Amino acid sequence: MLQFRSTNGQSPAVNLRAALLAGQAPDRGLYFPESFPKLAPDEIAEFGQLPYREVAFRVLRKFTEGIIPDDALAAMCRKAYDFGVPVEVIHHRVYLMRLDQGPTASFKDFAAQMMAQMFGRFLQEDGRQVTILTATSGDTGAAVAHAFHKVPGVRVIVLFPIGEVSESQRKLMTTLKDNVRTVAVDGKFDDCQAMVKRAFADPALAHIALSSANSINIGRLLPQSVYYFYAASRVAKPGEPVVFSVPSGNFGNMMGAIVAREMGLPVKKIVASVNDNDAFPRYLASGAYQKVVPSRNSVSNAMNVGHPSNLARLVAVYGGQMDETGRIHRQPDLAAMRRDIFSSSISDERTRASLRDFWSQYQILLEPHGVVAWQGFLDWQAAEPGSDAPVVIVETANPAKFPEEVEKVVGWAPDVPAAMTAGLQQGEDYDRMGADYEKFRAYLIERHVSKATG
Ligand SMILES: *Cc1c(COP(=O)(O)O)cnc(C)c1O
């Protein structure tokens, strides 16, 4: 059975089930496959004829062997992926993959939906209950709340900063109810994250089984490898290497491309562009890693990450070791990393200009995250000209999630997709709290007890 080891190398290897339910390894490292299962070229060549859910089944099966029976996994893939994955032509051999058709219109639905299926299954087998704690600046909380809504054995508590979340992002979390509780915190995203981190380490909460659905969880990463196989099967000849351009914050999405490559997908280049939070491109250029503290605000707010936690996994793939604080204990093969990955930092000014140019040139509307991928691709083309490989630009959210920004640039507000409007009509229900850990602890204990007795 496939084993997962910690990037810190100080805790024992575990199987997928244990890695998923734990979230983080006991030594505070991130779980990662000990070795990558492979897909043969002729297996990959068949993907061109298959719908998304079937590609998902054939890729994920390599990780779930011995843990989830094939027929159960196939059913889980059908349930998780009942929405489209459009791959559209921009111009000759350059494509746009839209990962914005899920229930919360962001690419985070792809991972959250499958993770919820897996959690539900494992907990039912064990007869256990867990409480999933998530701090969010918007998209993660919405995707996790929707995916885990009504999943037996799971309670979800989402903390969000009251002033930093757009109205539609908030409503996507606060209108669900049932097993989903939302807490509006009078503070910043950093406060929410600090409260969640303290709860995980708090002995006074040891009697409550807490788990995490943040991108440190390996369950978020594996499903994000599937759409790279899918996109390649739509745009490339069998065996032909593809360029992927991914807008990056915590680098979970781009790690999906790395996982696909390690499993056998031919990849020519990964372009992983960031906003003003430029720790990664600086590291790639200099070999010296320095977090951005505090993280910088930008128009692509889901990528405001000063220290991307998934870099620990990226460094591990290239033979190095980085701990959770960002300290490098062993340098990876930087030359190989530079050969495989290109990264540039796109300022807000360039993001807005690029959004406008893209619209006027192609009449295709992007939003502030996807356009970072587009501009990063243009930067790569300028730096390394002459490639004729097919290119896939990854759009990570629907423009309707960022109406103010988009309207400022193109002059009109985008249509809201039907999947999103349904929930927005419901009444909201959420708790409110100061950024005060003692209060949050009391809240968790009280809610746990009332659940257990009532
Ligand atoms: C979370 C998010 C990102 C960044 O993805 P990472 O996996 O953290 O790099 C990009 N775009 C949108 C819309 C997001 O919600």
Side-chain angles (χ1 to χ4, degrees):
M1 198 183 291
L2 187 64
Q3 295 290 301
F4 293 78
R5 61 177 174 76
S6 165
T7 50
N8 282 352
Q10 301 297 317
S11 43
V14 298
N15 68 18
L16 175 64
R17 179 197 187 93
L20 184 94
L21 292 175
Q24 198 170 28
D27 65 3
R28 309 181 68 84
L30 304 188
Y31 283 119
F32 209 51
E34 216 155 45
S35 64
F36 285 89
K38 303 286 181 211
L39 280 155
D42 54 334
E43 287 180 282
I44 297 173
E46 287 173 17
F47 291 173
Q49 315 301 321
L50 302 176
Y52 189 86
R53 58 178 187 279
E54 180 68 22
V55 177
F57 168 67
R58 294 191 186 195
V59 173
L60 295 175
R61 180 168 56 171
K62 299 283 177 183
F63 293 101
T64 57
E65 253 174 347
I67 299 209
I68 301 172
D70 278 358
D71 57 343
L73 180 67
M76 289 157 79
C77 289
R78 280 196 299 275
K79 269 199 203 143
Y81 302 120
D82 60 351
F83 49 87
V85 188
V87 180
E88 303 164 1
V89 185
I90 299 171
H91 64 80
H92 179 66
R93 303 226 86 189
V94 180
Y95 301 83
L96 182 71
M97 172 162 64
R98 288 194 180 273
L99 301 179
D100 64 349
Q101 309 286 302
T104 70
S106 102
F107 89 98
K108 296 201 169 68
D109 289 324
F110 283 80
Q113 290 289 323
M114 181 47 68
M115 236 177 126
Q117 296 287 326
M118 290 188 180
F119 260 90
R121 180 182 173 86
F122 294 156
L123 293 172
Q124 216 153 24
E125 285 174 353
D126 296 356
R128 281 177 56 201
Q129 298 243 336
V130 298
T131 297
I132 292 184
L133 279 189
T134 298
T136 186
S137 55
D139 284 347
T140 295
V144 166
H146 270 260
F148 285 88
H149 186 219
K150 296 189 176 169
V151 171
V154 179
R155 293 195 311 144
V156 180
I157 297 179
V158 182
L159 272 70
F160 68 96
I162 185 85
E164 290 179 20
V165 172
S166 75
E167 186 182 335
S168 75
Q169 281 176 322
R170 188 188 71 236
K171 285 189 175 173
L172 281 167
M173 301 185 273
T174 57
T175 52
L176 289 170
K177 312 181 183 98
D178 303 306
N179 62 332
V180 175
R181 273 320 298 176
T182 328
V183 182
V185 174
D186 293 300
K188 298 181 63 75
F189 170 64
D190 291 343
D191 298 316
C192 300
Q193 199 162 38
M195 286 159 80
V196 166
K197 278 195 178 153
R198 278 187 71 179
F200 278 114
D202 188 345
L205 299 176
H207 62 295
I208 306 177
L210 296 175
S211 191
S212 133
N214 283 0
S215 69
I216 54 171
N217 196 311
I218 188 70
R220 283 260 310 252
L221 220 61
L222 304 180
Q224 290 175 181
S225 65
V226 173
Y227 42 73
Y228 295 100
F229 283 104
Y230 181 80
S233 79
R234 266 51 186 179
V235 308
K237 303 178 198 97
E240 185 183 28
V242 179
V243 177
F244 294 108
S245 186
V246 191
S248 296
N250 226 339
F251 283 70
N253 197 357
M254 89 72 92
M255 280 309 294
I258 298 270
V259 170
R261 186 193 72 195
E262 295 299 307
M263 292 178 78
L265 184 70
V267 175
K268 181 182 169 80
K269 198 93 187 181
I270 296 172
V271 181
S273 297
V274 298
N275 55 29
D276 281 328
N277 293 281
D278 57 358
F280 179 67
R282 280 174 183 278
Y283 172 63
L284 197 60
S286 70
Y289 182 73
Q290 228 177 348
K291 320 185 242 197
V292 174
V293 187
S295 60
R296 298 173 186 141
N297 287 338
S298 81
V299 286
S300 48
N301 65 9
M303 311 196 314
N304 293 343
V305 183
H307 168 44
S309 49
N310 275 296
L311 292 186
R313 289 184 170 121
L314 181 68
V315 165
V317 169
Y318 286 89
Q321 190 178 25
M322 175 193 265
D323 70 20
E324 71 281 2
T325 69
R327 239 190 90 203
I328 299 208
H329 297 262
R330 188 171 63 245
Q331 276 289 12
D333 183 346
L334 279 164
M337 216 188 252
R338 289 178 190 131
R339 192 187 59 224
D340 297 342
I341 304 168
F342 177 88
S343 181
S344 64
S345 160
I346 315 292
S347 68
D348 279 1
E349 200 185 331
R350 290 182 80 209
T351 300
R352 292 197 176 102
S354 190
L355 190 63
R356 186 180 306 117
D357 290 349
F358 192 78
W359 167 251
S360 63
Q361 197 168 354
Y362 302 109
Q363 271 75 60
I364 299 173
L365 190 61
L366 295 177
E367 52 71 54
H369 303 82
V371 84
V372 166
W374 169 252
Q375 189 57 49
F377 158 65
L378 295 181
D379 287 0
W380 171 69
Q381 246 190 348
E384 297 173 21
S387 164
D388 192 38
V391 176
V392 176
I393 310 292
V394 178
E395 170 59 295
T396 48
N398 193 287
K401 286 192 102 167
F402 304 93
E404 297 88 4
E405 266 314 315
V406 171
E407 184 163 6
K408 240 187 270 171
V409 171
V410 298
W412 45 272
D415 294 335
V416 179
M420 253 175 84
T421 49
L424 302 182
Q425 312 303 327
Q426 313 282 321
E428 288 186 82
D429 181 19
Y430 57 90
D431 299 314
R432 191 148 178 182
M433 195 180 292
D436 176 345
Y437 180 70
E438 304 300 324
K439 286 220 180 74
F440 181 53
R441 173 204 276 151
Y443 175 89
L444 285 174
I445 290 171
E446 188 213 329
R447 292 203 67 83
H448 186 70
V449 170
S450 62
K451 165 85 185 194
T453 55

